[in-house]
Amino acid sequence: MTTLTTAPVSSLLDRLFAENEASFAALNPTWAQIPAEQRVALMSSKTNYRALYTEMKDVPLAVSRTTGAFLYMLARSMNARTIVEFGTSFGISALHLAAALRDGGGGRLITTEFEPSKVARARANIAAGGLSDLVEIREGDALETLAHNLPKPIDLVFLDGAKGLYPAVLALLENHLRAGALVVADNADWSPEYLTRVRSPAQGYMSVPFAEDVELSMRID
Ligand SMILES: C[S@@+](CC[C@H](N)C(=O)[O-])C[C@H]1O[C@@H](n2cnc3c(N)ncnc32)[C@H](O)[C@@H]1O
């Protein structure tokens, strides 16, 4: 058995994923009405991301169950001790990553979120999962919260905040990544600049697209 598949985390995740699906279903018609070009501009912006996410502050926007399980398995199999996440939201992916730390013998997850109400919800969910001792939530813009006090080495990174910032956030973390560190980026197709960077061996990464719009990259050295 794992922390993920036993109480209290399993039933907590069932509830949170059900809420997530319901809120996505409610959001979809509004999203579909936005012209494709405007959607790309919104999702890829490096400057106007705050308004978009404030608008969606009551929506979990969480990873799928598959991606959540994938994160848990990666963290467990590489025996990750230090994980950094960009984009906490309600803490659903953080619960998977922290569960992996728990089952692997401990460690530290640093995760960051700029919506105060989401920080409060994530804190409550992580506490309900009994995982608070493993998680540090940094409230604020990742460009600031991840610019200092980073652990070294970082074993695993999960990028899931504003897509246009993926290259900048990776740049903040890069010098702390150990050789063989993994970087998982959700919905990375919204950031062609990020994909160009991690798919170039000359930049120090190996990278492959994975299921469900996930990019899996490894730091070479
Ligand atoms: C897709 S959701 C994250 C979902 C979460 N990883 C999960 O699966 O449970 C993206 C989150 O990142 C936050 N965010 C976006 N850009 C950010 C930034 N620059 N700094 C901090 N948080 C940011 C948003 O407010 C939103 O809650």
Side-chain angles (χ1 to χ4, degrees), residues 1-7 9-11 13 72 99 103:
M1 296 302 274
T2 70
T3 297
L4 209 53
T5 49
T6 50
V9 175
S10 59
S11 49
L13 284 175
Y72 175 90
D103 295 343

Side-chain angles (χ1 to χ4, degrees), residues 33-70:
Q33 279 174 5
I34 301 174
E37 255 177 45
Q38 206 179 322
R39 261 185 266 163
V40 174
L42 274 173
M43 289 300 290
S44 311
S45 176
K46 291 180 183 177
T47 48
N48 293 330
Y49 51 85
R50 184 77 200 233
L52 173 70
Y53 286 101
T54 298
E55 186 75 22
M56 296 192 287
K57 69 180 171 35
D58 294 318
V59 185
L61 305 170
V63 289
S64 65
R65 275 193 178 270
T66 307
T67 301
F70 178 60

Side-chain angles (χ1 to χ4, degrees), residues 20-138:
N20 186 51
E21 266 174 43
S23 61
F24 263 134
L27 195 66
N28 275 343
T30 317
W31 186 242
Q33 279 174 5
I34 301 174
E37 255 177 45
Q38 206 179 322
R39 261 185 266 163
V40 174
L42 274 173
M43 289 300 290
S44 311
S45 176
K46 291 180 183 177
T47 48
N48 293 330
Y49 51 85
R50 184 77 200 233
L52 173 70
Y53 286 101
T54 298
E55 186 75 22
M56 296 192 287
K57 69 180 171 35
D58 294 318
V59 185
L61 305 170
V63 289
S64 65
R65 275 193 178 270
T66 307
T67 301
F70 178 60
L71 289 172
Y72 175 90
M73 289 164 64
L74 282 183
R76 271 303 296 279
S77 62
M78 72 189 304
N79 203 21
R81 287 279 167 266
T82 310
I83 305 176
V84 176
E85 176 182 60
F86 166 41
T88 319
S89 194
F90 287 22
I92 296 180
S93 49
L95 284 164
H96 290 80
L97 293 166
L101 290 175
R102 173 74 79 229
D103 295 343
R108 181 178 176 206
L109 167 65
I110 295 171
T111 179
T112 189
E113 170 61 54
F114 55 24
E115 282 304 325
S117 64
K118 284 191 156 182
V119 170
R121 288 197 215 230
R123 254 190 238 297
N125 287 332
I126 290 162
L131 296 166
S132 303
D133 58 308
L134 300 167
V135 183
E136 178 192 344
I137 305 181
R138 296 188 179 179

Side-chain angles (χ1 to χ4, degrees), residues 96-214:
H96 290 80
L97 293 166
L101 290 175
R102 173 74 79 229
D103 295 343
R108 181 178 176 206
L109 167 65
I110 295 171
T111 179
T112 189
E113 170 61 54
F114 55 24
E115 282 304 325
S117 64
K118 284 191 156 182
V119 170
R121 288 197 215 230
R123 254 190 238 297
N125 287 332
I126 290 162
L131 296 166
S132 303
D133 58 308
L134 300 167
V135 183
E136 178 192 344
I137 305 181
R138 296 188 179 179
E139 183 173 335
D141 193 306
L143 295 178
E144 288 157 23
T145 61
L146 299 181
H148 50 79
N149 292 340
L150 290 173
K152 199 168 185 172
I154 296 170
D155 299 309
L156 175 63
V157 173
F158 180 46
L159 301 177
D160 198 20
K163 312 308 163 196
L165 299 187
Y166 282 8
V169 172
L170 182 65
L172 290 177
L173 305 176
E174 203 154 68
N175 287 340
H176 294 254
L177 299 176
R178 70 163 165 84
L182 294 176
V183 184
V184 180
D186 205 19
N187 309 115
D189 287 355
W190 294 107
S191 181
E193 187 187 331
Y194 175 81
L195 292 179
T196 302
R197 181 173 183 144
V198 292
R199 289 179 184 171
S200 156
Q203 303 264 1
Y205 296 94
M206 273 180 75
S207 196
V208 288
F210 220 74
E212 294 188 350
D213 203 10
V214 167

